[in-house]
Amino acid sequence: MVTKIRRNPRYKLGRKLGRKNMARELHRLSAIKVSRSLAPGMHADGGGLYLRVTGGAKGGRRWVFLYKRPSDGKRCELGLGGLGTVPLAKARKKAAEARSQLDDGIDPLQARRAALPVPTFGEVADRLIESLQEGWRNEKHRAQWQMTMREYAKPLRSKPVNEIDTPDVLAVLRPIWLEKPETAGRVRGRIERVLDAAKVEGHRSGENPAAWRGHLALLLPRRPVLSRGHFARMPIDDVPAFMSQLRKRDALAARCLEFAILTATRSGEALGASWAEIDRSQRVWIIPAARMKAGREHRVPLSKRALEILADVEALGTDGFVFPGQSRGKPLSPMALEMVLRRMKVTNATVHGFRSCFRDWAGNMTSFPRELAEHALSHAIGDKAEQAYRRDDALERRRPMMEAWSTYCCASSTDNVLTMIARQSIRER
């Protein structure tokens, strides 16, 4: 007679539960194990505590606590510090505290943020500018952000970011809302973005007091319709005389402005020019796509006068930029070229307006083909289909045109210039 051995009915259930709860088993790592070389990845100690090992030359080991947020079940990660400063025992203690908070329905990450001192509006704004500047193509955007957040938003800068409410925002906007409508709109948008950043960092909650729709739109009067005209430009016949006076000025900003005019480029492109972009043997300036408004590389043929300017400024000594600013590693300020015009008492023109001067000169005073002038200004030519098939930038064909423009700008007699232009236009055809 065979006697059957009766097993405890909980045996199979216990085995299943054991496998299921392996991930919840505590203290799976040891001090010796974490001190040894571990493969890159996540190494579980149990109860949500992990040692993250990253590879590479800058690899490191950091403790993290993974959990699901009580409010919505979203997976979150709480950093507990590096292994060098937080040993295994201390990491386990921190993880236990986090689990205790979760048992009480508290989000550990939110609790940590709440315990930190609340930054001021100015501190959050400065951090946001630093994080955004990598995506800006020139220093002008940074300067504009800094100026508006420093000058117009000055009443908010020293205030804790979580205490800013609608009356505070209105106090900033109302004095300039009708007087400087375009500036006011930008200031409001930037304040809104700073406060949104503060909310993401955990320093604010609720609605944004700088939001427009359904909020400030109900409190502020309608701004006057903005009339966006063209950039003011100097009469084309006045350009040679102006350039003659400009060449007499010794300031580096004056040379930069002259260079920008002769190359028909935007001020930001000239200000940010680096020696690495200049190929004097080929007499060409190659502006990378990252610095161009259209996001594509632009080659500029350099006239004799443009090359002379480069030789002059190189003799002054540089640190990478063709037109370096006062701070090492920085180009001239975005306002430097405008200040040259102000000092010369030029009130009927802007720096950008000289591009329009070049275009009118090419179209009305020469026989150079339209597409060459458009190429010189880095404008898109034709529809998308034509742009897809026509990729040549006509660099060599543009050389006579840019030399003629330089000669016109440097001329003392317009009649002589027009004669020379006519000759070069005939050659071009």
Side-chain angles (χ1 to χ4, degrees):
M1 182 176 177
V2 179
T3 305
K4 292 184 178 180
I5 300 174
R6 298 184 63 186
R7 289 179 175 174
N8 190 320
R10 295 182 179 178
Y11 175 73
K12 291 184 179 181
L13 178 62
R15 288 201 305 172
K16 291 180 180 179
L17 288 175
R19 295 192 194 100
K20 185 176 181 180
N21 291 333
M22 279 295 291
R24 299 180 182 178
E25 180 186 346
L26 297 177
H27 303 173
R28 294 166 61 182
L29 299 175
S30 66
I32 295 177
K33 186 174 182 180
V34 299
S35 66
R36 293 174 179 172
S37 178
L38 295 174
M42 299 284 282
H43 299 269
D45 184 58
L49 177 62
Y50 291 84
L51 178 65
R52 172 181 284 143
V53 179
T54 54
K58 297 183 179 180
R61 302 180 181 192
R62 299 190 64 81
W63 295 106
V64 294
F65 178 72
L66 302 183
Y67 67 97
K68 290 185 178 180
R69 192 159 56 192
S71 60
D72 56 10
K74 182 179 179 180
R75 184 173 177 175
C76 297
E77 178 180 307
L78 179 70
L80 302 180
L83 181 60
T85 56
V86 181
L88 177 60
K90 189 173 181 179
R92 285 172 175 169
K93 183 178 179 181
K94 288 186 173 185
E97 292 172 353
R99 287 193 294 270
S100 177
Q101 288 176 316
L102 288 170
D103 290 339
D104 294 336
I106 300 173
D107 183 344
L109 194 58
Q110 290 294 332
R112 173 187 289 182
R113 289 172 175 170
L116 294 175
V118 178
T120 63
F121 178 90
E123 290 170 342
V124 178
D126 293 343
R127 285 203 300 268
L128 179 61
I129 292 171
E130 288 297 322
S131 66
L132 293 177
Q133 66 177 343
E134 294 299 326
W136 292 331
R137 290 177 179 168
N138 56 56
E139 281 286 319
K140 185 176 182 180
H141 297 297
R142 179 187 176 93
Q144 288 176 340
W145 263 84
Q146 288 179 326
M147 187 278 292
T148 53
M149 293 295 95
R150 181 182 63 249
E151 300 297 331
Y152 292 108
K154 186 176 181 179
L156 304 177
R157 286 193 64 84
S158 61
K159 193 164 187 176
V161 74
N162 65 332
E163 295 182 9
I164 293 174
D165 53 18
T166 302
D168 297 318
V169 177
L170 289 174
V172 170
L173 297 179
R174 275 179 172 149
I176 60 174
W177 191 251
L178 297 178
E179 180 183 352
K180 301 177 180 179
E182 186 170 3
T183 299
R186 291 176 180 175
V187 172
R188 185 209 61 77
R190 289 167 185 168
I191 292 175
E192 181 181 16
R193 195 160 182 179
V194 171
L195 296 179
D196 279 340
K199 185 176 181 179
V200 172
E201 292 178 357
H203 302 303
R204 286 187 61 89
S205 60
E207 299 298 324
N208 192 319
W212 177 248
R213 288 188 178 181
H215 189 59
L216 293 184
L218 307 176
L219 301 174
L220 290 168
R222 294 184 64 180
R223 293 178 295 166
V225 178
L226 298 177
S227 174
R228 294 186 179 273
H230 298 291
F231 287 96
R233 71 163 180 81
M234 182 177 292
I236 188 63
D237 293 337
D238 295 345
V239 171
F242 166 79
M243 294 293 281
S244 176
Q245 293 300 313
L246 182 63
R247 286 193 299 275
K248 295 178 182 178
R249 305 184 74 87
D250 296 329
L252 183 64
R255 297 287 72 73
C256 183
L257 176 57
E258 185 183 0
F259 186 77
I261 294 172
L262 294 177
T263 55
T265 53
R266 299 175 180 86
S267 59
E269 294 157 9
L271 288 166
S274 68
W275 289 108
E277 299 171 359
I278 306 294
D279 186 344
R280 275 179 284 186
S281 64
Q282 298 297 319
R283 296 179 298 131
V284 65
W285 170 27
I286 305 174
I287 310 175
R291 294 209 308 111
M292 292 300 299
K293 181 179 180 180
R296 59 175 179 272
E297 181 183 276
H298 181 48
R299 297 194 299 170
V300 182
L302 297 172
S303 64
K304 292 178 182 178
R305 176 55 190 161
L307 290 169
E308 289 175 2
I309 293 173
L310 294 176
D312 290 343
V313 297
E314 187 179 31
L316 301 176
T318 65
D319 58 354
F321 288 102
V322 176
F323 305 102
Q326 294 182 349
S327 301
R328 185 170 181 81
K330 298 280 188 179
L332 282 173
S333 164
M335 284 298 297
L337 307 190
E338 293 289 349
M339 291 305 298
V340 173
L341 295 180
R342 292 184 189 180
R343 293 189 181 103
M344 295 178 70
K345 302 188 185 312
V346 175
T347 59
N348 64 338
T350 61
V351 176
H352 195 85
F354 284 102
R355 281 167 55 85
S356 179
C357 288
F358 166 79
R359 186 64 186 86
D360 286 349
W361 166 84
N364 300 333
M365 302 177 70
T366 78
S367 298
F368 291 108
R370 169 186 172 276
E371 60 267 22
L372 292 188
E374 292 299 307
H375 271 307
L377 295 169
S378 187
H379 287 167
I381 302 174
D383 57 21
K384 291 184 178 180
E386 183 178 355
Q387 293 169 29
Y389 285 96
R390 183 171 186 171
R391 301 180 185 181
D392 179 43
D393 62 358
L395 176 69
E396 295 305 322
R397 294 180 65 207
R398 284 188 281 126
R399 286 191 185 278
M401 179 177 63
M402 300 312 294
E403 195 65 53
W405 168 241
S406 175
T407 305
Y408 177 81
C409 291
C410 299
S412 57
S413 171
T414 304
D415 292 337
N416 292 339
V417 172
L418 291 176
T419 301
M420 183 278 302
I421 290 171
R423 291 173 182 169
Q424 290 196 340
S425 297
I426 292 172
R427 293 195 201 104
E428 175 61 28
R429 286 179 288 177

